[in-house]
Amino acid sequence: MGDKVGRFITLEGGDGSGKSSQAKALGDFLESMGKEVVLTREPGGSPGADEIRKLILTGDPERWDGLEETLLFYTARVNHLRLTVKPALARGAWVISDRFADSTMAYQGYGNQLGVETVRKIHDVAVGTFEPDLTFILDLDVETGLARTEGRGHDEDRFERMKLAFHERMRQGFLEIARQNPDRCQVVDASQSIDDIQMELRSYLKGRFFS
Ligand code: TMP
């Protein structure tokens, strides 16, 4: 898109893979290099999308079926793009989003078995060809990730409570997305320490954008 001046970086991965802390630390790094950074997340990142977040992430796992939640995620996403992400990119900021469209493909398309084609069609209508400049996929054994989320004490755990097989399909979905988009996606071993993961992300970013 012609009016995109900044860079759009997304962090993806299963529950408990440590994306949120990595996103914050990456933001600090970019700010130390003099960049304006907008740290955001999905679902959410704009007032309307934050309201949709509550609807999707709380309550009975059976509350929404795969298609219904995919449409809700995309409503939130279009709102987030229009009100937060695109204006920030247009003024030259670096936007770091904790999750974006790959999450819908992995969780709903693969995990919930809505299917790759259905998610792709919705994506094409809602988002079109706009995509991140770079996506880090934090890959972690499913049981380790879910164990890390226990005791977080929040009520936004609708997906965390889904069955192990769902999470395994979702993990494989992320790896498949990375195989299909090798120029955009970088898989990172999230079983490493927080500091080691951050070093890997920073060194990749330097090589990609600052060398
Ligand atoms: P998080 O803020 O802890 O990452 O929680 C968001 C949850 O929503 C997480 O379990 C993944 C799920 N999710 C989807 O299923 N599809 C999506 O498109 C997005 C953005 C998140």
Side-chain angles (χ1 to χ4, degrees), residues 79-198:
N79 192 259
H80 179 219
L81 284 175
R82 177 169 66 86
L83 296 176
T84 304
V85 177
K86 289 188 178 179
L89 293 174
R91 67 173 185 266
W94 287 59
V95 178
I96 303 176
S97 188
D98 178 353
R99 297 194 184 281
F100 185 61
D102 297 324
S103 278
T104 315
M105 184 57 89
Y107 279 78
Q108 283 65 51
Y110 288 92
N112 213 322
Q113 297 175 304
L114 182 60
V116 170
E117 271 318 304
T118 304
V119 176
R120 198 164 279 153
K121 280 184 195 156
I122 296 169
H123 180 91
D124 287 349
V125 171
V127 174
T129 56
F130 176 86
E131 63 175 10
D133 296 288
L134 173 64
T135 299
F136 289 116
I137 294 180
L138 272 57
D139 179 56
L140 183 64
D141 163 76
V142 164
E143 293 190 39
T144 310
L146 288 174
R148 285 190 195 166
T149 66
E150 274 170 25
R152 278 189 182 171
H154 61 72
D155 63 350
E156 293 183 339
D157 62 350
R158 201 174 137 254
F159 287 96
E160 290 160 22
R161 288 188 280 120
M162 289 185 187
K163 295 190 172 64
L164 217 56
F166 167 90
H167 289 272
E168 200 53 62
R169 287 194 297 272
M170 173 270 286
R171 180 187 187 195
Q172 295 309 321
F174 274 125
L175 295 175
E176 183 57 33
I177 291 167
R179 276 192 287 273
Q180 288 173 7
N181 299 273
D183 293 340
R184 174 173 66 84
C185 296
Q186 183 67 18
V187 178
V188 178
D189 173 7
S191 70
Q192 304 176 83
S193 75
I194 293 179
D195 289 348
D196 285 349
I197 296 174
Q198 184 61 206

Side-chain angles (χ1 to χ4, degrees), residues 15 19 42 53 57 73 77 99 103-104 107-108 159:
D15 299 87
K19 293 173 288 72
E42 289 206 351
R53 177 183 177 95
L57 297 186
F73 277 119
R77 181 160 300 134
R99 297 194 184 281
S103 278
T104 315
Y107 279 78
Q108 283 65 51
F159 287 96

